[in-house]
Amino acid sequence: MKPAPFEYAAPRELDEALDLLAEHGDDARVLAGGQSLVRMMNARQVSPSVVVDINRLRGLDSLGVTSDNGSSTLRLGATVRQRTSELSGEVARHAPLLAEAGAHVAHAPVRARGTVVGSVAFADPSAELPAALLALDGLVKVRSRAAERTVAADDFFTGPFRTSLAPDEMVVGIEVPVAAGRSGSAFVELTRRHGDLPVCGAAAVLGLGDDGRVAQARVALCGADQRPVRVTAVESAVVGADDPSAFTEAAARAGDGLEPIPSCHGSADFRRHLARVLTARALRTAFARATSPKETTDAR
Ligand SMILES: Cc1cc2nc3c(=O)[nH]c(=O)nc-3n(C[C@H](O)[C@H](O)[C@H](O)COP(=O)(O)OP(=O)(O)OC[C@H]3O[C@@H](n4cnc5c(N)ncnc54)[C@H](O)[C@@H]3O)c2cc1C
């Protein structure tokens, strides 16, 4: 299949891109890495009349850490490739979960074109990076011609392939707070084949207090609901734990209230089961990494 005819624009200034989105609204689509959009256009699942290529926009390819009043933030612009993030020393140091989750996306050639922000904006409920952003308490930076706003990842994903973006808005970047103190994170998933979208995946971030107990926990799932979701019942159940044996019991709550989208790769019940198993695994690995930073995998 070939796409329906469309106009192609490759502006160099953000304002030009925003003008095009304001002018064409729902008829326009942003083109980032093209790894999902081009396939959908070829299959005529979407037929925008205008494609706004953001790859030539100045300043959106930056990746770095900024500090303000003692807290640091990792920032990734809208055209930072998934592979760049995965291989970045700054991401590995300051948000290793993003690198670990990103390495599970597709295959290296897809990640070399696909952008981190494109995956977030696409909001596939099975995708790894939106769940990682949720677990990291990330922020989504949004611009339109009229305004700019910052949306917590918790509020950004609204349904399958749906976000709180308006048609005249684009995402210009994401931000992740850099963890201070003792912390550990992990991303685990089950796929049918290497490089496929996961049937289900779990991301966990744990912060430990001075007494070695879990002081903060954020756990997010992909492939387990209509959108990437946090499992707050599990988060509250693990706070105070000082031993990984507590995690299996806490993770038993991970399937509660979930409404997975069933497919030939996994029924809703199977995905709820995976949510429990993978959450326990992610928590154990995150805890092991927080207590002993050299720990990298969960052997159990
Ligand atoms: C063979 C193959 C295997 C894959 N496997 C996986 C996988 O295992 N896991 C996974 O998560 N993904 C997978 N993907 C999808 C891949 O990760 C894409 O890169 C990602 O979904 C979209 O990123 P992109 O930069 O290519 O966005 P594009 O394809 O350019 O855009 C995707 C959508 O997001 C919108 N968009 C993009 N950027 C912005 C922005 N800045 N502001 C507003 N809207 C924007 C576009 O308009 C479009 O609707 C796979 C893709 C392929 C081709």
Side-chain angles (χ1 to χ4, degrees):
M1 288 281 286
K2 292 277 179 271
F6 63 92
E7 276 180 46
Y8 170 80
R12 288 185 182 271
E13 300 297 335
L14 180 58
D15 282 348
E16 287 176 60
L18 297 174
D19 281 347
L20 286 164
L21 295 181
E23 186 183 343
H24 297 281
D26 256 342
D27 288 334
R29 281 294 169 113
V30 168
L31 173 74
Q35 298 302 298
S36 297
L37 182 63
V38 171
R39 175 186 53 74
M40 288 192 304
M41 287 175 65
N42 284 344
R44 304 212 177 186
Q45 290 165 332
V46 293
S47 298
S49 55
V50 181
V51 168
V52 182
D53 183 343
I54 62 170
N55 287 284
R56 290 180 182 78
L57 296 183
R58 278 188 264 269
L60 291 189
D61 60 349
S62 62
L63 184 167
V65 173
T66 53
S67 297
D68 190 19
N69 283 333
S71 64
S72 301
T73 304
L74 176 72
R75 298 172 200 275
L76 279 80
T79 54
V80 172
R81 308 291 159 193
Q82 293 161 3
R83 188 81 172 139
T84 305
S85 163
E86 178 193 339
L87 299 178
S88 153
E90 293 206 277
V91 173
R93 233 179 350 268
H94 299 297
L97 181 69
L98 204 58
E100 185 175 25
H104 287 281
V105 174
H107 301 276
V110 173
R111 301 198 295 271
R113 284 303 304 165
T115 62
V116 175
V117 165
S119 176
V120 169
F122 190 45
D124 186 327
S126 297
E128 292 91 346
L129 290 167
L133 192 68
L134 264 183
L136 287 164
D137 200 10
L139 300 173
V140 182
K141 306 291 288 183
V142 174
R143 284 282 310 269
S144 70
R145 193 166 64 177
E148 67 178 282
R149 62 190 181 106
T150 301
V151 188
D154 281 317
D155 301 322
F156 186 71
F157 304 106
T158 55
F161 305 98
R162 285 208 305 274
T163 68
S164 63
L165 274 186
D168 66 337
E169 289 181 321
M170 68 172 264
V171 181
V172 290
I174 55 167
E175 296 183 357
V176 173
V178 171
R182 287 169 80 195
S183 65
S185 65
F187 184 91
V188 293
E189 68 174 31
L190 180 99
T191 54
R192 290 285 181 190
R193 294 175 309 185
H194 171 70
D196 281 359
L197 278 161
V199 182
C200 183
V205 181
L206 298 179
L208 304 190
D210 292 340
D211 57 1
R213 292 178 184 275
V214 174
Q216 300 98 28
R218 285 183 70 99
V219 182
L221 301 171
C222 54
D225 204 296
Q226 308 289 309
R227 58 194 170 94
V229 280
R230 272 174 68 198
V231 276
T232 50
V234 176
E235 294 174 357
S236 0
V238 298
V239 169
D242 63 352
D243 187 294
S245 60
F247 296 147
T248 307
E249 196 182 329
R253 304 171 192 208
D256 298 354
L258 295 180
E259 290 178 34
I261 302 170
S263 76
C264 58
H265 300 300
S267 66
D269 278 345
F270 181 51
R271 288 169 191 266
R272 281 189 206 97
H273 168 72
L274 286 178
R276 292 187 277 269
V277 172
L278 296 175
T279 295
R281 214 173 276 175
L283 286 169
R284 284 198 298 264
T285 304
F287 188 77
R289 288 173 176 169
T291 49
S292 158
K294 288 209 173 101
E295 191 72 44
T296 54
T297 54
D298 175 27
R300 284 154 290 181

